[in-house]
Amino acid sequence: LTAPSPIPKGKKKSESVVILPPPSSGEKEEDNSRKMMPTPPQEEMEVNESGNISSPSPHPEDGEEGSGLPTDDSLPDSAKGRKDSVWSVGEGSTDEIDKHDESQRSTLFIEKPQSTVMNVGGDVIFTAKVEAKDLLRKPTVKWFKGKWMDLASKAGKHLQLKELYDRNAKIFTFEMHIIKAKENYGGNYRCEVTYKDKFDSCTFDLEVLESPATPQPIDIRSAFKRSGEGQDDAGELDFSGLLKHREVKQEDTGPDIDVWELLKAAQPSEYEKIAFQYGITDLRGMLKRLKRIKREEKKSAAFAKVLDPAYQVDKGGRIKLIVDLADPTVDLKWYKNGQEIRPSTKFIFEHKGTQRMLVINNCTLNDDAAYQVRAGDEKCQTELFVRELPVTITKELQDTSTYVGERFELECEVSEEGANVKWFKNGVELENGVRARHRIKEDGLKHYLYIDDATKADSGTYSVMTTGGTSKAEIKVDLRPLRIIQPLTDMTVKLGDEINLKCEISENISGRWYKNAQIIQSSDRVKMYHKGRIHRLIIMNSLVDDEGDYTFVPEAYAITLSAKVHVIDPPKIHLDFLKAVDYTVTVVSGNKLRLEIPVSGEPAPKVVWKRGDKVITDSSGRIRAESHPDHSSLIIDCAERDDSGNYSIMVMNEAGLDSAVIKIKVVDVPDPPEAPLVTEVGEDWCIMNWEPPKYDGGSPILGYFIERKKKQSSRWMRLNFDLCREHTFEPKKMIEGVAYEVRVFAVNAIGTSKPSMPSKAFIPLAVTSEPTLLAVDDVTDTTVTMKWRPPDHIGAAGLDGYVIEYCFEAGTVPDSDSDSAWTPIITDAAQFRNLGALTDSNEAAKLTDSNVDKSAEVDASAAVQPGTVAAPPSSGKTTPTKDASVGSETKEVPDSSKAGGEGAAQKGKALTGKQDKPALPGKVENITPAGIAGGQPVSQTEQAKATAEPTLSKDIQITQDNRGVDAASEQKESKDAVTTPTEVARPSERWTVANPDLTDKTRFTIPNLPTGAKIFVRVKAVNAAGASSPRLHPQPILVKEVVEPPKIRLPRHLKQTYIRRVGETVNLVIPFQGKPRPKVIWKKDGVLVDVSQVSIRNSECDTIIFIRKAARGHSGKYELTVQVDTLEDKATIDIQIVDRPGPPQVVQIVQVWGENAALEWKPPKDNGNAAITGYTIQKADKKTMEWFTVIEHYQRTSITIPDLIIGNEYYFRAFSENMCGLSENATVTKNCAKIEKEGTPYKNPNYKEFDFSEAPQFTHPLISTIAVAGYNATLNCSVRGNPKPKIYWFKNRVLITDDPRYRTFNSQGVCTLEIRKPSPYDGGIYSCKAENDLGSTEVECKLEVKVTQ
């Protein structure tokens, strides 16, 4: 409810004005508790021809004439607008409130509490239900009794409030439990629910009856009386908590009074008084009961016509209140706010026939009150509203000009005395204060503003404002003209004398002194004086620095007084910085000498340099002189030994003369030594010697620096950082097989000489170590395939190839000679010198099998089967070598199908970089088979016998076996393959060379072996320096093949569905085993795989299925079959190729209500071969069409979008989502959802279009930063402007365009420059320029790039 509005004059009868009383204190509390409750429509009051307000006319169907009296359903007119009234209009009837609220109330309740009648002591539950389907959070519910009392604070033993939520039905249930009700619990209750800007309310009644066993008459005083603190139910349902606390008084034991009879006989204006007198707090419940009791309307016996409900008059006006009496003889009295009115010039009583009139002259705001007229025992009342007229300015402010220091005033005149007038300066309100420079004065209708001692800051626009207008005036404060009485004069003083400057001006104002445009500050030596109009500057003990232009500037004036001061001083040469006694300066030959000698004197002295009798001029020669105000320089470019000698300097000016002699000495670095000699070379070291230089540069030799480099390189590396004082040095840590050169530097106190000539090139060499990891790769009935790894250390001479030797186990092959004999190895003596000894055959070796289950154990006494690997006797790193068949690194079980063949030989040439070598002729002399023949050399006769031994050969079918398990079982059946537990297998003493030519492969097949024989194998590495020590396989090898059934080793990740995205590469490697080489068959969905679509590569131990770019058609079940003769093994692989889904189908707007919109759509036709995991919903305003995400990963096909802006129109779109991501396109709704505002449509006012054009302006500048080299760096700034400015980036004032090292971004006014992996070259000054039609602006920063150590 709002305060009553004044009734404008001249309103016709057909017009209507709403009169609303102000809220009471209780209503204010209720308004704070429910700010979102819509205001119910108010009844209209009619304005009669006289400008007075009458009550609303009844409806035509009522058949009654408008009497102006309140009806039974309303409160008395005295309560309509009185600030001290407790009740307001329309509160007497809850039906009328409900009728008013329904027009603007939202429907939130789906079940409302119902009125109930119960007995005292009973329990009752009131239930309200709210549907939560369209609510994002729980609504707020409040329970009230009467008008104000919030029952949440009264919960206790007799009152309980509960809340429930049904998740399935999405319904909130709110319950109010009243336990053991008492008689005073009856009355009117209200339940309110709010959610954001929605509101709903309902009322219900509770009638508590006395127990039927003890019927008692209704006592209205006890039913509505407030409860005290001493009673049992105090604080539980005490509805007087908001009223002032009063002590409990003892009840009057007088005769009982029937309050209902009093109320029926009383006027509605007296209801409040009676309720207060008899302690009734629930006035609304009382009015509802009183409404049920029909009472007869009594016609007034005193008044024929009562006062109108309200009157309105302007301030200072005159109004007449008229009442018509039925009995003119009755005594009549007038009252104002309950106080009787006495006749005066203000209030005049008039009468005309039966009419009685009260005339109020010169109405003021104090006359705004409630007026009452009493005729006998009857009375009627009305409201008078006084409207205050605006105060106008009758005399405007005048523009004023004045001088600084003077007093000025502003004057205006208003239309009314005592008016509220405000003063402003440049739009800022001026207020009186103790420290304020201005004073505000009021004199009747005139108002003044005074300012004493005006300053320039007081200039501006002053304005005065009243309720009826504004007046402005411009105040201008200027300076008085200034005259110079005595100016400053120029001075010339000697060094140390006093400087005294004086001037006089026409005004007594302060000022500032300047020297060479720099302000002068007072100190112990500098004094400034100001006395009246005279200003002085005194400088004691003048210095040369005191010379200059002095200026005095009066404060606040643009006038300056200037003078020049000249200080003179005799010349002097300052040689204190030369510490030598004889002033000697030493310079290194070839360097530039710049000797700066400080000189002093004022004016600046003339300087002359001489060498002997020759004057050194300021020409551009190698030796020249330069003169400066405070020093003189002697410059010698590229000093030579002949430049040594005495140099003289002379300075002179008008004050005197001074001279000095300086000695200059030129020294040099020594000559370079002779080329060093390399006298001895080792594996990674050498010994070098050299002679000292012939000329030491005039300073003793302190030592030497040594450098070396590779012959083919140009980068020298220093070998010693401490000076070598000897003439011999031993470089170390050189690389074998690389040619090196060395050189020497001589060092003295001056510096380092030039390098000597390099020595002759020399190369360190070394022999390789033995091969590593010798193991059996494959065994057939006639062949044995061995594999190994290259030596750990190859050496500078490189690796030319390998020699493979074998011999039979002792006792397996008959031999005529029992002496130890070696089969000669056909080789070149020069290549096989320094051949190493064999490894000890008794050394323990660890057996491993790369293709056999590690749980399988092989009997150590049995012969070594194919697939076992002999561990080397010493630890070492394995050097990977290239496989001859596939060109990749050697695997644990390489492909042996091409071992020993032509491809292997060609690949070996590529590895070693050498051509085919001829068969190794000759023989090996003095070979020592360590550990076998006791270290004794082998004679030539024994070698011949070994050479004459026949070679065993037999044509048998070759099969492959990599497991060795079945071979071990066959060995048990063969007597030749079994050894007794006490026997130790050892090789025979005759070794046969398996390869007549060197092989550069790490895999070799020994052919033509007898089936069932046991052999030992060893391998040697050969290079230019000779052969290495042999690597011996520690166990005998049985020459016999074993059949192995096929077995697929399907990886664990392929046992599940193998999922890949479209376009990705599918590369699956499935290992298997079996002997002989199994046959591999691939099928897809029961049909052979099309090799044009899918690439398949097979080897002896695995198969590879490869798809370069996967497509949806590659999905399916792939069946792998591995066959060996009649045996086979199968495995199935399920491959699923997935892609992004298509967009949803037909996105529709189902319903739009309030701020919500309901959408529905259908799943996409194409799910991308994967399950749909959710949807992403976006919205866009029809004006901007900028899309914003509402929700992501939403799994249902319908959604309600809340919180839409009223008045906007929205389009919606939906994306599908699966494991690959969102669909490329989205489905947009065909129609838009318009969010219309409920209730009366709002007509937008017409505003002038605002010009948003703006020149570019940076709201956040670039910030200098330090970046780390190799890591991306970004520079950020923000800019605003309209139209949108164009952005340009510069580096060191050069425009950055189409450079791949830079990327620029501009989003929502944020400008970003990204520098990809910057280097120190990228450091510099970066700037960003924004430009549009209105102008341009620029910011810059410094970027420094640091390299991490």
Side-chain angles (χ1 to χ4, degrees):
L1 300 177
T2 58
S5 302
I7 304 301
K9 295 181 178 180
K11 284 286 184 177
K12 296 181 180 181
K13 185 174 183 180
S14 60
E15 298 178 351
S16 61
V17 180
V18 178
I19 301 300
L20 301 176
S24 63
S25 60
E27 293 171 334
K28 293 180 181 178
E29 293 184 5
E30 182 183 11
D31 292 339
N32 293 333
S33 63
R34 48 184 181 95
K35 296 179 181 179
M36 302 301 294
M37 184 178 73
T39 305
Q42 304 294 330
E43 295 182 354
E44 296 182 350
M45 300 290 185
E46 292 185 8
V47 182
N48 55 24
E49 296 179 354
S50 63
N52 299 329
I53 304 173
S54 61
S55 300
S57 301
H59 297 289
E61 58 271 20
D62 294 339
E64 297 178 3
E65 297 182 357
S67 62
L69 295 176
T71 62
D72 294 339
D73 297 337
S74 63
L75 286 176
D77 292 339
S78 61
K80 297 182 181 179
R82 298 304 310 136
K83 299 179 181 179
D84 55 352
S85 177
V86 180
W87 314 106
S88 58
V89 173
E91 294 173 358
S93 174
T94 58
D95 296 338
E96 186 175 351
I97 292 178
D98 294 339
K99 178 183 67 177
H100 292 170
D101 292 350
E102 287 297 335
S103 62
Q104 297 182 2
R105 183 177 300 151
S106 303
T107 303
L108 294 177
F109 285 114
I110 59 174
E111 180 179 334
K112 299 181 180 180
Q114 302 298 325
S115 300
T116 305
V117 178
M118 61 179 299
N119 295 328
V120 174
D123 299 339
V124 66
I125 299 176
F126 294 97
T127 303
K129 293 185 179 180
V130 178
E131 187 175 5
K133 183 178 180 181
D134 299 328
L135 306 182
L136 299 180
R137 58 180 176 83
K138 185 184 74 174
T140 302
V141 173
K142 292 186 178 181
W143 299 84
F144 296 91
K145 184 176 191 299
K147 181 174 180 60
W148 313 292
M149 191 58 59
D150 189 353
L151 299 181
S153 61
K154 303 301 179 181
K157 180 171 62 176
H158 295 278
L159 176 66
Q160 294 181 2
L161 304 179
K162 294 184 179 180
E163 298 178 359
L164 301 174
Y165 178 63
D166 188 352
R167 295 186 179 273
N168 296 328
K170 294 187 177 181
I171 294 176
F172 287 100
T173 302
F174 302 94
E175 297 180 351
M176 181 177 71
H177 296 226
I178 297 179
I179 304 171
K180 296 182 180 179
K182 296 183 179 181
E183 191 173 348
N184 60 346
Y185 288 5
N188 179 256
Y189 289 81
R190 186 173 77 257
C191 178
E192 294 182 357
V193 57
T194 57
Y195 175 75
K196 292 187 177 179
D197 57 346
K198 298 180 180 180
F199 169 79
D200 200 358
S201 175
C202 65
T203 59
F204 55 94
D205 296 327
L206 173 62
E207 185 175 357
V208 182
L209 304 178
E210 294 184 357
S211 177
T214 57
Q216 296 181 359
I218 298 176
D219 187 1
I220 186 172
R221 289 178 292 177
S222 61
F224 296 97
K225 189 185 304 180
R226 58 176 66 89
S227 59
E229 296 179 359
Q231 301 176 5
D232 295 338
D233 59 346
E236 296 171 359
L237 285 176
D238 185 6
F239 303 117
S240 62
L242 297 179
L243 300 179
K244 186 175 179 181
H245 175 71
R246 294 178 177 84
E247 295 182 359
V248 179
K249 297 182 180 180
Q250 188 174 0
E251 295 183 0
D252 189 7
T253 58
D256 293 337
I257 299 175
D258 190 353
V259 181
W260 293 115
E261 294 297 331
L262 292 177
L263 291 173
K264 287 189 289 183
Q267 294 290 335
S269 60
E270 298 178 356
Y271 289 166
E272 182 180 356
K273 180 179 179 180
I274 297 173
F276 182 79
Q277 179 179 356
Y278 292 97
I280 300 173
T281 58
D282 189 2
L283 185 58
R284 175 173 292 187
M286 182 193 72
L287 293 175
K288 288 181 67 70
R289 289 195 180 185
L290 189 61
K291 181 181 178 181
R292 300 190 189 102
I293 302 175
K294 297 182 180 179
R295 64 182 179 87
E296 296 181 359
E297 291 290 341
K298 295 182 179 180
K299 190 174 182 180
S300 175
F303 296 101
K305 182 180 180 182
V306 297
L307 295 173
D308 292 336
Y311 295 86
Q312 177 176 292
V313 66
D314 291 336
K315 183 179 178 181
R318 180 173 179 271
I319 193 171
K320 182 182 294 184
L321 306 181
I322 302 175
V323 63
D324 195 355
L325 299 177
D327 183 7
T329 61
V330 71
D331 188 16
L332 186 76
K333 291 185 179 181
W334 293 87
Y335 296 89
K336 174 184 176 182
N337 290 338
Q339 300 294 330
E340 184 178 357
I341 300 175
R342 300 292 182 184
S344 63
T345 57
K346 178 78 171 179
F347 300 100
I348 299 175
F349 297 153
E350 296 181 358
H351 66 276
K352 183 178 180 182
T354 59
Q355 291 184 348
R356 300 293 182 266
M357 291 167 282
L358 171 64
V359 180
I360 304 176
N361 296 320
N362 192 19
C363 292
T364 63
L365 295 179
N366 293 330
D367 297 328
D368 188 296
Y371 291 85
Q372 189 181 66
V373 58
R374 183 182 297 274
D377 295 333
E378 296 186 15
K379 60 182 179 180
C380 65
Q381 62 184 13
T382 186
E383 290 282 341
L384 176 62
F385 299 98
V386 179
R387 184 177 65 180
E388 185 176 4
L389 297 176
V391 178
T392 59
I393 300 175
T394 58
K395 182 179 180 181
E396 301 288 339
L397 298 177
Q398 301 296 327
D399 295 341
T400 306
S401 297
T402 184
Y403 291 112
V404 173
E406 293 187 352
R407 176 179 180 273
F408 74 89
E409 68 179 29
L410 294 176
E411 176 186 353
C412 71
E413 186 174 341
V414 297
S415 60
E416 183 180 342
E417 293 186 5
N420 185 15
V421 176
K422 293 185 178 181
W423 291 86
F424 296 87
K425 176 188 176 184
N426 296 330
V428 180
E429 184 178 358
L430 300 177
E431 296 181 357
N432 270 330
V434 178
R435 299 183 180 180
R437 298 187 66 256
H438 57 271
R439 293 181 293 109
I440 299 174
K441 180 181 177 182
E442 178 182 354
D443 185 9
L445 299 178
K446 294 184 179 181
H447 293 260
Y448 301 91
L449 173 67
Y450 300 97
I451 296 182
D452 298 326
D453 193 14
T455 63
K456 289 184 69 68
D458 294 326
S459 299
T461 302
Y462 289 79
S463 60
V464 62
M465 184 176 67
T466 64
T467 58
T470 303
S471 178
K472 295 183 179 179
E474 293 289 338
I475 303 299
K476 184 177 181 181
V477 181
D478 296 327
L479 296 173
R480 290 181 181 276
L482 184 68
R483 292 182 297 105
I484 300 175
I485 299 175
Q486 179 182 351
L488 295 176
T489 58
D490 297 340
M491 296 183 63
T492 300
V493 298
K494 292 184 179 180
L495 187 68
D497 291 347
E498 182 183 274
I499 300 174
N500 190 342
L501 298 175
K502 175 184 176 183
C503 66
E504 184 177 356
I505 55 179
S506 61
E507 299 293 333
N508 183 13
I509 59 175
S510 60
R512 294 185 179 183
W513 290 89
Y514 294 86
K515 175 193 171 185
N516 297 331
Q518 301 292 328
I519 192 169
I520 300 175
Q521 302 292 341
S522 298
S523 64
D524 296 338
R525 196 171 64 88
V526 180
K527 305 293 183 182
M528 288 177 285
Y529 300 97
H530 173 208
K531 184 177 180 181
R533 297 177 296 178
I534 299 175
H535 296 266
R536 290 178 181 271
L537 173 65
I538 299 176
I539 303 176
M540 296 176 289
N541 299 325
S542 62
L543 304 176
V544 176
D545 295 339
D546 293 333
E547 182 175 346
D549 294 334
Y550 287 81
T551 305
F552 175 76
V553 179
E555 185 176 357
Y557 285 90
I559 300 177
T560 59
L561 292 81
S562 301
K564 292 185 178 180
V565 175
H566 182 54
V567 180
I568 60 175
D569 185 26
K572 184 178 181 181
I573 301 174
H574 303 277
L575 298 177
D576 299 338
F577 70 97
L578 297 177
K579 298 181 180 179
V581 178
D582 55 352
Y583 301 132
T584 301
V585 178
T586 303
V587 60
V588 178
S589 176
N591 290 353
K592 180 179 179 179
L593 172 64
R594 184 181 183 91
L595 182 60
E596 296 183 353
I597 305 300
V599 297
S600 62
E602 187 64 29
K606 181 180 179 182
V607 182
V608 178
W609 285 88
K610 291 184 179 180
R611 183 182 181 187
D613 296 334
K614 184 179 180 180
V615 177
I616 301 174
T617 62
D618 296 343
S619 62
S620 59
R622 192 176 59 85
I623 301 177
R624 60 187 183 276
E626 293 181 357
S627 297
H628 301 276
D630 58 345
H631 69 277
S632 180
S633 301
L634 176 64
I635 301 173
I636 301 177
D637 293 332
C638 191
E640 300 176 355
R641 299 177 186 176
D642 297 339
D643 296 335
S644 300
N646 293 330
Y647 293 77
S648 62
I649 179 175
M650 181 184 298
V651 295
M652 63 185 72
N653 69 356
E654 61 185 26
L657 174 69
D658 194 10
S659 63
V661 177
I662 300 173
K663 183 179 181 181
I664 296 178
K665 180 181 178 182
V666 180
V667 296
D668 201 356
V669 297
D671 291 340
E674 297 292 335
L677 298 176
V678 178
T679 59
E680 188 176 354
V681 176
E683 180 179 358
D684 60 347
W685 54 270
C686 72
I687 296 177
M688 56 182 290
N689 298 320
W690 64 90
E691 296 296 332
K694 295 180 180 180
Y695 173 67
D696 61 358
S699 180
I701 299 297
L702 302 179
Y704 301 90
F705 286 120
I706 297 90
E707 291 184 350
R708 80 176 181 204
K709 76 174 184 67
K710 297 178 182 178
K711 184 178 180 180
Q712 298 178 352
S713 175
S714 60
R715 188 172 65 89
W716 290 88
M717 182 179 67
R718 179 159 293 185
L719 301 181
N720 63 318
F721 294 95
D722 295 332
L723 289 175
C724 176
R725 303 185 184 278
E726 304 295 335
H727 298 92
T728 301
F729 189 76
E730 181 180 352
K732 296 181 179 179
K733 297 183 179 179
M734 292 183 288
I735 302 174
E736 303 175 30
V738 178
Y740 287 92
E741 294 177 350
V742 293
R743 67 181 182 182
V744 182
F745 294 82
V747 182
N748 64 0
I750 306 305
T752 304
S753 69
K754 295 181 180 179
S756 66
M757 295 297 294
S759 66
K760 294 182 180 180
F762 60 94
I763 303 174
L765 292 176
V767 181
T768 64
S769 62
E770 61 186 12
T772 60
L773 299 179
L774 178 61
V776 179
D777 189 24
D778 192 17
V779 177
T780 66
D781 290 341
T782 58
T783 61
V784 172
T785 302
M786 304 298 294
K787 64 178 180 179
W788 61 91
R789 290 291 178 90
D792 293 337
H793 178 70
I794 294 179
L799 180 63
D800 295 336
Y802 301 93
V803 175
I804 299 92
E805 297 177 340
Y806 70 92
C807 70
F808 295 97
E809 183 181 6
T812 59
V813 178
D815 191 0
S816 59
D817 295 334
S818 59
D819 298 335
S820 299
W822 289 84
T823 300
I825 302 176
I826 304 172
T827 182
D828 188 352
Q831 295 179 347
F832 281 78
R833 65 178 181 270
N834 300 327
L835 185 64
L838 294 174
T839 56
D840 188 359
S841 60
N842 295 326
E843 184 179 359
K846 185 176 181 180
L847 302 179
T848 61
D849 189 351
S850 61
N851 292 332
V852 184
D853 188 7
K854 294 184 178 180
S855 61
E857 298 180 357
V858 180
D859 190 358
S861 61
V864 175
Q865 295 300 316
T868 60
V869 180
S874 60
S875 62
K877 296 182 179 179
T878 302
T879 304
T881 61
K882 299 291 184 179
D883 184 73
S885 59
V886 296
S888 60
E889 290 190 0
T890 304
K891 301 179 181 178
E892 289 298 324
V893 185
D895 188 1
S896 61
S897 61
K898 297 183 181 180
E902 181 179 356
Q906 294 176 356
K907 186 64 180 178
K909 297 172 188 176
L911 288 174
T912 59
K914 299 179 181 296
Q915 300 297 327
D916 292 339
K917 292 182 179 292
L920 301 177
K923 59 185 176 179
V924 177
E925 298 180 357
N926 298 330
I927 297 178
T928 305
I932 299 177
Q936 298 297 327
V938 182
S939 63
Q940 296 181 2
T941 304
E942 294 172 343
Q943 293 176 7
K945 292 181 180 180
T947 306
E949 283 292 325
T951 302
L952 300 177
S953 63
K954 186 177 182 181
D955 296 335
I956 59 175
Q957 183 179 1
I958 299 175
T959 60
Q960 300 177 355
D961 182 16
N962 291 330
R963 296 180 62 187
V965 178
D966 296 336
S969 62
E970 292 187 6
Q971 288 175 4
K972 296 181 181 180
E973 298 176 358
S974 177
K975 295 182 179 180
D976 295 338
V978 178
T979 59
T980 60
T982 58
E983 294 180 355
V984 177
R986 61 185 181 87
S988 64
E989 298 173 354
R990 294 193 299 272
W991 290 88
T992 304
V993 177
N995 57 325
D997 298 329
L998 288 178
T999 178
D1000 52 5
K1001 302 298 180 183
T1002 57
R1003 187 172 181 273
F1004 188 79
T1005 301
I1006 304 174
N1008 303 326
L1009 296 176
T1011 303
K1014 296 181 180 179
I1015 63 171
F1016 286 89
V1017 181
R1018 66 183 182 184
V1019 181
K1020 300 176 184 178
V1022 181
N1023 66 358
S1028 67
S1029 301
R1031 169 64 68 182
L1032 174 67
H1033 194 279
Q1035 299 295 333
I1037 303 170
L1038 177 64
V1039 185
K1040 189 172 183 180
E1041 186 177 22
V1042 178
V1043 177
E1044 180 183 358
K1047 178 65 176 178
I1048 299 175
R1049 301 291 186 181
L1050 189 65
R1052 180 176 299 176
H1053 69 279
L1054 296 179
K1055 295 180 180 179
Q1056 300 175 355
T1057 301
Y1058 185 75
I1059 301 175
R1060 279 292 180 271
R1061 297 187 180 182
V1062 171
E1064 292 184 348
T1065 301
V1066 178
N1067 188 10
L1068 304 179
V1069 180
I1070 298 94
F1072 58 82
Q1073 61 190 34
K1075 283 202 173 186
R1077 179 171 179 171
K1079 180 181 179 182
V1080 179
I1081 301 174
W1082 280 95
K1083 292 183 179 181
K1084 176 189 175 185
D1085 299 331
V1087 181
L1088 291 177
V1089 173
D1090 186 1
V1091 295
S1092 62
Q1093 299 293 330
V1094 180
S1095 299
I1096 296 176
R1097 289 178 289 178
N1098 301 323
S1099 67
E1100 291 184 352
C1101 57
D1102 57 21
T1103 179
I1104 300 175
I1105 180 170
F1106 178 76
I1107 303 174
R1108 186 174 300 278
K1109 290 186 178 180
R1112 295 270 292 274
H1114 292 139
S1115 301
K1117 294 186 179 296
Y1118 289 77
E1119 183 181 45
L1120 171 62
T1121 304
V1122 179
Q1123 296 178 351
V1124 175
D1125 294 337
T1126 59
L1127 302 176
E1128 66 177 19
D1129 191 11
K1130 294 184 179 181
T1132 301
I1133 302 173
D1134 188 2
I1135 299 178
Q1136 181 179 356
I1137 308 301
V1138 297
D1139 196 2
R1140 296 166 70 178
Q1145 304 181 60
V1146 190
V1147 179
Q1148 296 179 347
I1149 300 175
V1150 179
Q1151 185 181 3
V1152 178
W1153 74 98
E1155 299 178 4
N1156 307 308
L1159 305 180
E1160 287 185 357
W1161 62 90
K1162 296 181 181 180
K1165 294 181 180 179
D1166 182 14
N1167 62 357
N1169 203 20
I1172 298 297
T1173 59
Y1175 300 91
T1176 296
I1177 312 301
Q1178 294 182 346
K1179 66 180 180 181
D1181 190 356
K1182 184 179 180 180
K1183 298 178 181 178
T1184 61
M1185 288 309 292
E1186 293 185 6
W1187 293 98
F1188 297 92
T1189 300
V1190 177
I1191 190 171
E1192 295 178 332
H1193 314 301
Y1194 186 72
Q1195 297 181 352
R1196 301 172 64 183
T1197 57
S1198 61
I1199 188 173
T1200 299
I1201 300 178
D1203 299 334
L1204 299 178
I1205 299 175
I1206 295 176
N1208 289 3
E1209 298 182 19
Y1210 291 89
Y1211 283 97
F1212 303 92
R1213 68 180 183 184
F1215 291 87
S1216 302
E1217 183 180 6
N1218 63 4
M1219 62 183 299
C1220 295
L1222 295 177
S1223 59
E1224 295 182 359
N1225 301 320
T1227 303
V1228 184
T1229 57
K1230 294 182 179 179
N1231 302 325
C1232 62
K1234 183 174 182 181
I1235 310 303
E1236 297 183 353
K1237 182 177 180 181
E1238 297 179 357
T1240 304
Y1242 175 70
K1243 183 178 180 181
N1244 292 323
N1246 293 326
Y1247 295 102
K1248 293 183 180 179
E1249 185 175 358
F1250 184 81
D1251 185 12
F1252 290 92
S1253 299
E1254 182 184 13
Q1257 179 181 358
F1258 283 94
T1259 59
H1260 188 278
L1262 292 173
I1263 299 176
S1264 299
T1265 183
I1266 299 175
V1268 180
Y1271 293 86
N1272 290 358
T1274 57
L1275 302 177
N1276 299 281
C1277 63
S1278 60
V1279 66
R1280 70 180 185 188
N1282 191 17
K1284 185 177 180 181
K1286 294 183 179 180
I1287 305 300
Y1288 302 94
W1289 287 92
F1290 299 84
K1291 176 189 175 185
N1292 296 330
R1293 298 298 178 182
V1294 178
L1295 181 63
I1296 299 174
T1297 57
D1298 298 333
D1299 193 335
R1301 295 183 297 110
Y1302 299 93
R1303 288 200 305 175
T1304 59
F1305 305 92
N1306 185 3
S1307 176
Q1308 302 295 328
V1310 178
C1311 306
T1312 303
L1313 174 65
E1314 180 181 6
I1315 307 172
R1316 297 183 177 179
K1317 299 183 178 179
S1319 63
Y1321 170 79
D1322 293 320
I1325 302 300
Y1326 286 82
S1327 59
C1328 180
K1329 181 179 180 182
E1331 182 178 5
N1332 66 3
D1333 297 335
L1334 300 180
S1336 63
T1337 183
E1338 187 174 2
V1339 294
E1340 66 180 19
C1341 70
K1342 182 179 181 181
L1343 175 66
E1344 182 180 356
V1345 181
K1346 289 190 176 181
V1347 180
T1348 57
Q1349 300 295 333

